[in-house]
Amino acid sequence: MEPCVEELMPRLLPVGDWDLAEDFDPTVPPRTPQEYLKRVQIEAARCPDVVVAKIDPRKLKKKQTVNISISGCQPAPEGYSPTLRWQQQQVANFSAVRQSLNKHRNHWRSQHLDSNVIMPKSEDEEGWKKFCLGERVHSEIDALPNNESIGIDYMKVGFPPLLSIVSRMNQATVTSVLEYLISWFGEKKFTPELGRWLYALLACLEKPLLPEAHSLIRQLARQCSEVRVLEENKNEEQISALNLIICLVSRYFDQRDLADEPS
């Protein structure tokens, strides 16, 4: 070890130059304290000054970046801020939905799913996006072939959040799917299919919220407020849906700093 390094890292156990046995072999277990300390010295001298970790790039394919913001929601466009009474009514309706879902969860879970309903595994992000939103929305296809004669193709238009489906989702899956859809929403546009699933997943979240879920719903409310501000056509139905999600996150899940102030 170089002298300058020794000054920064003084020896805790001084090791002198002892007379070791002629047959001293550092590769075999030490027989005396002196042999042990000498072996430690030898091993330390062989350590490189710089060590580079070997990283498997395949493990980094999934997004690792987490964006954290402490800012609140953007205010609603002028004339579109929801009243306090409206917000209170939405919270009451949402609470009733959650109570009914919890009460009848076992019943709906026992219902047989149609043979075409194949729920993706929890970690299958692309599978869940297509399952919830359908190929038309997920892949941004303008039009689909007319299949009215054979009924609705849910693989094309997405499965609705039926009680028999969401009742089978545990909290880990609910949180994962919520994360997938919020990620999609951050890059795409708000759609009715997305709105229905976001409402259903919020209804399935258990309180008290886990830290991950807490962060996700705050991110969701902020994204809704940003989309609401940028809504060029001021589509009243879409703004109302965005107001609803912000209302539930802020007033039902107690994120009051994100709440819309009544006009």
Side-chain angles (χ1 to χ4, degrees):
M1 189 175 290
E2 297 180 3
C4 61
V5 178
E6 289 186 352
E7 292 177 2
L8 294 174
M9 301 176 61
R11 295 178 179 179
L12 295 179
L13 294 175
V15 181
D17 296 326
W18 298 299
D19 294 330
L20 298 173
E22 295 181 359
D23 61 345
F24 171 69
D25 184 355
T27 63
V28 301
R31 295 167 295 182
T32 66
Q34 291 80 5
E35 288 185 359
Y36 170 77
L37 293 176
K38 188 63 178 179
R39 181 173 176 176
V40 171
Q41 273 189 325
I42 295 172
E43 291 179 352
R46 291 174 179 171
C47 291
D49 294 333
V50 179
V51 179
V52 179
K54 294 182 179 180
I55 300 175
D56 184 355
R58 293 173 298 179
K59 296 181 179 180
L60 299 179
K61 287 184 178 180
K62 185 178 176 62
K63 290 183 180 179
Q64 300 292 321
T65 303
V66 177
N67 296 319
I68 299 177
S69 173
I70 59 174
S71 61
C73 286
Q74 298 288 337
E78 185 175 356
Y80 290 90
S81 181
T83 66
L84 180 59
R85 182 175 181 180
W86 181 88
Q87 294 182 66
Q88 292 172 337
Q89 185 60 54
Q90 302 311 313
V91 170
N93 294 342
F94 183 68
S95 179
V97 169
R98 284 172 60 89
Q99 291 177 14
S100 177
L101 176 60
N102 290 330
K103 182 178 181 180
H104 302 290
R105 185 182 299 275
N106 290 335
H107 166 75
W108 289 111
R109 187 182 296 166
S110 65
Q111 300 301 301
H112 293 291
L113 296 175
D114 292 340
S115 58
N116 65 328
V117 182
I118 302 176
M119 297 173 63
K121 293 183 179 180
S122 179
E123 65 275 10
D124 184 1
E125 180 172 353
E126 290 303 310
W128 274 108
K129 289 177 181 177
K130 292 180 180 179
F131 183 89
C132 298
L133 306 176
E135 293 181 6
R136 179 178 63 84
V137 173
H138 176 265
S139 304
E140 296 184 317
I141 301 173
D142 292 332
L144 292 170
N146 188 352
N147 293 328
E148 291 182 359
S149 59
I150 59 175
I152 299 176
D153 185 349
Y154 286 110
M155 295 305 295
K156 298 290 185 181
V157 301
F159 289 92
L162 303 174
L163 290 173
S164 55
I165 293 177
V166 297
S167 295
R168 285 174 161 80
M169 299 168 65
N170 58 31
Q171 283 300 290
T173 301
V174 169
T175 304
S176 294
V177 177
L178 187 60
E179 180 180 6
Y180 302 152
L181 296 184
I182 292 174
S183 174
W184 186 90
F185 181 31
E187 301 173 357
K188 309 292 182 179
K189 61 184 180 180
F190 188 84
T191 67
E193 295 87 353
L194 176 64
R196 286 191 289 268
W197 268 99
L198 290 175
Y199 186 95
L201 292 171
L202 289 176
C204 292
L205 277 181
E206 295 179 357
K207 296 177 72 174
L209 294 174
L210 295 174
E212 183 178 0
H214 177 271
S215 175
L216 282 173
I217 65 171
R218 289 182 63 84
Q219 178 185 345
L220 173 60
R222 293 192 188 99
Q223 287 181 202
C224 287
S225 72
E226 292 168 4
V227 171
R228 183 177 61 179
V229 169
L230 299 175
E231 175 62 35
E232 296 179 356
N233 300 324
K234 295 298 181 283
N235 183 314
E236 188 170 344
E237 184 176 345
Q238 176 158 309
I239 291 180
S240 179
L242 296 169
N243 285 348
L244 174 59
I245 294 176
I246 296 171
C247 169
L248 298 180
V249 170
S250 61
R251 297 195 180 273
Y252 183 85
F253 290 103
D254 302 318
Q255 308 302 306
R256 295 304 175 95
D257 60 307
L258 303 179
D260 281 317
E261 294 299 329
S263 56

